[in-house]
């Protein structure tokens, strides 16, 4: 299959002027990958109920900006996708839609990887996320996150869904009605709808996105709440006895 002639990257943001520049810099690097030569990449930032300079930061970086006061991640993502597709010609054309978050930084090969999978006939790519190595939550997150991963596997058809690392063809996106207007879980609902409709969905851990370890969540019930709950569990554990392996003790507790 030929790669889509255009890529739309959608980033919802609520008061993200501090972290958004790093996210947009990473997306700019990914858009300049040699494998994307001749592919038009458009980034849309959806400034949702922002009281800071999020929109101005996005415009300075060259992104298109949609402003809304819906305070709803599902609707914000959908507004961004619709804005991008409306500017891609009748019916949205053969566009690949990628989504990430304003507190996340994608790897340089992120878009190239997704387009390579699109060429193979995949209609959606569902990726994973990682935390910075310096975060005290990195080990407990990885231990729990990869608990179902078969040992010795190079790739992993994982059970996770993150709006921070997601891609879908415009045709498949339109077929299922897009992101539903949910305050949380809109990414999982979209993927479930794609799978129900029989679209080819690849769950892969080969191109993870680095996301923020912050505990004050922008979306209730989202990844920040997951990390906050994990921190409380870690703090409640008894200290590791001298002479034991702290990493093993932590893994066993998870």
């Amino acid at each position: 299959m030929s790669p889509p002639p255009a890529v739309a990257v959608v980033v919802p943001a609520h008061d993200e002027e501090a972290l958004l520049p790093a996210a947009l810099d990473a997306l700019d690097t990914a858009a300049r990958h040699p494998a994307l030569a001749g592919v038009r990449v458009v980034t849309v930032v959806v400034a949702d109920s922002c009281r800071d300079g999020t929109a101005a930061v996005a415009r300075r970086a060259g992104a298109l900006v949609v402003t809304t006061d819906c305070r709803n991640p599902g609707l914000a993502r959908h507004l961004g996708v619709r804005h991008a597709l409306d500017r891609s010609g009748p019916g949205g054309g053969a566009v690949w839609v990628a989504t990430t978050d304003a507190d996340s930084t994608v790897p340089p090969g992120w878009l190239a990887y997704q387009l390579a999978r699109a060429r193979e006939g995949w209609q959606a790519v569902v990726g994973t996320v990682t935390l910075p190595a310096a975060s005290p939550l990195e080990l407990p997150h990885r231990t729990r996150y990869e608990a179902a991963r078969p040992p010795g596997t190079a790739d992993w058809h994982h059970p996770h869904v993150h709006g921070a690392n997601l891609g879908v063809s415009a045709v498949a996106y339109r077929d299922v009605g897009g992101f539903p207007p949910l305050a949380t879980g809109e990414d999982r609902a979209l993927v479930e709808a794609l799978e129900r409709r029989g679209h080819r969905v690849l769950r892969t851990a080969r191109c993870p996105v680095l996301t923020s370890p912050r505990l004050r969540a922008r979306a209730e019930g989202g990844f920040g709440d997951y990390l906050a709950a994990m921190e409380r569990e870690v703090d409640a554990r008894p200290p590791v006895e001298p002479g034991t392996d702290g990493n093993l003790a932590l893994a066993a507790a998870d």
Side-chain angles (χ1 to χ4, degrees), residues 190-244:
L190 174 68
V191 172
E192 289 173 350
L194 290 167
E195 292 174 333
R196 283 196 303 271
R197 290 284 291 174
H199 292 290
R200 295 192 67 205
V201 176
L202 174 65
R203 293 173 178 265
T204 175
R206 285 194 176 273
C207 199
V209 166
L210 184 69
T211 197
S212 167
R214 68 184 177 192
L215 305 179
R216 296 179 64 86
R218 289 293 191 267
E220 184 177 351
F223 193 69
D225 283 351
Y226 156 80
L227 292 179
M230 182 178 296
E231 183 190 49
R232 290 192 295 270
E233 291 178 15
V234 171
D235 289 345
R237 290 172 183 158
V240 177
E241 296 181 6
T244 63

Side-chain angles (χ1 to χ4, degrees), residues 111-131:
L111 291 175
Y113 179 82
Q114 291 197 10
L115 289 193
R117 305 293 76 75
R119 295 187 194 102
E120 296 170 354
W122 295 100
Q123 293 165 293
V125 177
V126 183
T128 56
V129 297
T130 59
L131 295 179

Side-chain angles (χ1 to χ4, degrees), residues 7-68:
V7 174
V9 183
V10 176
V11 186
H14 171 65
D15 290 343
E16 293 284 13
E17 66 176 356
L19 296 181
L20 184 59
L24 294 179
D25 283 348
L27 286 172
D28 182 65
T29 299
R32 296 176 186 275
H33 193 282
L36 271 70
V39 177
R40 187 167 71 96
V41 180
V42 174
T43 299
V44 178
V45 173
V46 185
D48 186 4
S49 306
C50 292
R51 299 157 296 180
D52 65 358
T54 292
V57 167
R59 291 190 180 98
R60 284 197 298 270
L64 300 177
V65 176
V66 176
T67 58
T68 181

